[in-house]
Amino acid sequence: MSAGFSGNYGYSLPRDWAYDQIATISVGSGDGYINIDNNIASGRDVGQGSFNPPRIGLPDTYFDGAYYLSLQHDVGAYMESIGFPESSLNRIYSHSECLESIMAEGRLMTEISHRYQMRKALIQTSAYWEMCHYDLMDLTVDAAVVYCHTATGGSTITPVRDSSAGVAQISGTVGIIAWNHCINNALAEGPILDPDVDSDLWVMWHQLNQNNDFSIATVPLIHMWGADGKPGGVNPPGGETIIRRPRLDYTDREIFEVLRRSQGWGNEAEEHAQKRMALYQIFERCNSIIRGA
């Protein structure tokens, strides 16, 4: 189709040709200068004059256990392909243990996806990815947080006020800010907490660390807070733009953005978001088969 590429060089058009690009025409000057392709049509193909409206995305359904082994294989194979073997001496949980823990929250995640009209894969991806990264250092820091707020666990521990905690590895501070934001925007219900107050921070951190349901329920709040520009969060110098909150018809670019924002900004956050995009597609492919999309 292009006079500028090999498609038209040295080859005769097939007898049943439909379209041919015969030249590239330059139009305009300065900032308005553009190249326009000059195409001709044989009349064999009249093209498309109308389009059907896009299909309305179906909501996610409860997980069908018949697909579990296939999902486990695909997720495990992908994680190994990016340098995460099934288990290691430093990591607390194996791939299989992480997937089992996350999928055990399947009913809750499905109900949350219905409530907020977001893809369940967005919640599964964030929780699974973070749990897979929980290691011995995280375990040590968690003990330091407990010691800081309760003075239990041993006097040799250096106290740490906050850390990423629980199956979704969410810090108490981020949890409070995300919950407060969503409560103030009528997206969730609960008490308004202050991350600068130790007792409030401990209440949030302890729930995230000990209550899997609460931790999973916090993931979509973080994504909606992120889409709203992460007000009050740690953001790049120019701030985060406001984008659509997660929807069933979220585009790949929007999915990437909320995954990246849930981790932060900078090269590492971009790199991890790219890796999580592939993981998202694995979860979403399985979910789409089950919901009959």
Side-chain angles (χ1 to χ4, degrees), residues 268-283:
E268 183 179 43
E270 296 271 347
E271 178 188 347
H272 282 211
Q274 289 286 2
K275 293 177 178 178
R276 280 183 285 169
M277 279 295 294
L279 187 61
Y280 173 90
Q281 296 299 340
I282 294 172
F283 280 115

Side-chain angles (χ1 to χ4, degrees), residues 15-287:
R15 291 182 179 180
D16 60 349
W17 71 276
Y19 302 100
D20 183 26
Q21 180 179 326
I22 59 175
T24 300
I25 302 172
S26 300
V27 178
S29 61
D31 293 339
Y33 176 86
I34 59 172
N35 289 325
I36 297 178
D37 295 337
N38 189 0
N39 302 320
I40 58 174
S42 69
R44 181 169 284 105
D45 188 335
V46 298
Q48 187 67 41
S50 63
F51 299 89
N52 294 327
R55 291 188 303 172
I56 298 175
L58 296 174
D60 285 305
T61 58
Y62 294 117
F63 186 73
D64 184 343
Y67 293 90
Y68 185 82
L69 291 180
S70 175
L71 177 63
Q72 183 184 44
H73 172 272
D74 291 347
V75 169
Y78 172 68
M79 294 301 287
E80 290 196 16
S81 75
I82 59 173
F84 283 83
E86 166 66 14
S87 60
S88 70
L89 294 176
N90 186 49
R91 294 204 331 267
I92 304 299
Y93 304 109
S94 67
H95 293 162
S96 299
E97 290 170 330
C98 292
L99 186 63
E100 182 178 353
S101 296
I102 298 307
M103 298 308 290
E105 299 292 329
R107 178 168 291 274
L108 173 62
M109 286 190 287
T110 302
E111 292 168 355
I112 289 174
S113 74
H114 291 172
R115 183 185 312 155
Y116 298 119
Q117 289 294 292
M118 71 171 62
R119 283 292 170 217
K120 183 165 60 173
L122 202 54
I123 307 169
Q124 292 168 320
T125 298
S126 295
Y128 175 83
W129 179 267
E130 294 299 338
M131 189 174 181
C132 279
H133 285 74
Y134 189 63
D135 59 21
L136 293 175
M137 179 60 71
D138 294 316
L139 191 63
T140 301
V141 175
D142 285 352
V145 174
V146 173
Y147 178 68
C148 176
H149 292 279
T150 68
T152 60
S155 59
T156 60
I157 298 177
T158 300
V160 174
R161 188 169 180 269
D162 193 13
S163 71
S164 298
V167 292
Q169 286 293 282
I170 302 168
S171 72
T173 298
V174 167
I176 288 176
I177 296 174
W179 270 94
N180 286 353
H181 176 79
C182 290
I183 291 168
N184 288 330
N185 283 274
L187 297 169
E189 295 180 353
I192 295 294
L193 302 178
D194 186 344
D196 293 326
V197 175
D198 285 347
S199 59
D200 284 1
L201 184 65
W202 170 248
V203 166
M204 176 60 69
W205 187 93
H206 188 65
Q207 287 188 90
L208 290 169
N209 192 47
Q210 297 295 316
N211 188 331
N212 287 358
D213 285 359
F214 182 83
S215 189
I216 293 297
T218 303
V219 172
L221 305 188
I222 289 176
H223 288 326
M224 291 187 290
W225 167 59
D228 287 352
K230 289 180 67 177
V234 178
N235 295 323
E240 296 282 16
T241 58
I242 297 175
I243 62 175
R244 282 197 308 162
R245 290 172 183 161
R247 308 300 296 170
L248 296 180
D249 63 347
Y250 232 28
T251 65
D252 285 349
R253 183 61 199 175
E254 290 169 318
I255 294 166
F256 175 86
E257 270 300 303
V258 294
L259 290 175
R260 192 271 300 165
R261 293 179 187 196
S262 69
Q263 183 169 344
W265 58 279
N267 293 336
E268 183 179 43
E270 296 271 347
E271 178 188 347
H272 282 211
Q274 289 286 2
K275 293 177 178 178
R276 280 183 285 169
M277 279 295 294
L279 187 61
Y280 173 90
Q281 296 299 340
I282 294 172
F283 280 115
E284 171 56 15
R285 182 176 65 239
C286 184
N287 293 341

